[in-house]
Structures are given as structure tokens and as C-alpha cells.
Amino acid sequence: MLFKLGKVVATPGAIQAMEENGIEAWSLLSRHANGDWGCVPEEDQLENQRSVEEGYRVMSSYAMNDRGDKLWIITEADRSSTCLLLPKEY
């Protein structure tokens, strides 16, 4: 892991979306914590690398299905918590 996740929480919408799409939260959390940021633009990938090194917030985005529905994972700068949420819940 590149950084600690802290307390892991998920919004009700994210939980429902993962259940509907057969996604395990821990598989995405593992990808997030190990530097696989999912489907974020290259500039955001570079920003995440800097954020890991300098202690800023880290954000990943993962496609859940062929329709393009996304799930976000955000780890706070102080690494106290990580939240799984839908973009519309931000």
C-alpha cells in the first residue's frame, strides 16, 4: 500500500451500486491504495502521485459497468478516512 486508508466508509448509494454491479469494495480499495487510480485523466494520475508523496487528498474513479457508471474513492489528506461514493453524491 502506498498510503493508509484510515476509517473506510461508503454512502448508501455507493453500497447499492456496488451490490447491483457485483463489485467488492475491498478490490477497489486495494487498487486505490496501491496506485491504480482507475479511469482518471493523466493529469489527475500525476496529481495523485504528488498527493501520495506530499500528503494531499487522493481520488480514484472506477467504471462499474458498460454504461459508464462510476464509483469514486477519496482518501482525505490526513489519511483519517476513505469514502466510497457516487459522483452525484459529492
Side-chain angles (χ1 to χ4, degrees), residues 2-90:
L2 298 175
F3 54 91
K4 294 182 187 255
L5 297 174
K7 181 179 181 177
V8 176
V9 297
T11 63
I15 293 168
Q16 180 179 354
M18 286 186 289
E19 288 174 356
E20 289 174 356
N21 289 284
I23 296 170
E24 294 289 330
W26 290 110
S27 66
L28 295 181
L29 289 164
S30 176
R31 290 175 62 188
H32 174 73
N34 285 291
D36 174 356
W37 317 120
C39 52
V40 297
E42 184 177 348
E43 60 270 13
D44 290 344
Q45 292 179 26
L46 295 173
E47 182 62 28
N48 276 343
Q49 290 292 353
R50 187 170 77 94
S51 295
V52 168
E53 295 166 6
E54 298 182 19
Y56 301 123
R57 186 174 79 164
V58 179
M59 179 181 170
S60 296
S61 177
Y62 302 100
M64 291 189 291
N65 53 45
D66 293 338
R67 293 186 310 269
D69 296 331
K70 304 251 189 312
L71 182 113
W72 286 358
I73 300 180
I74 300 173
T75 298
E76 295 302 323
D78 65 2
R79 308 299 186 249
S80 63
S81 67
T82 296
C83 183
L84 292 92
L85 68 158
L86 299 178
K88 67 182 180 184
E89 296 174 312
Y90 185 72

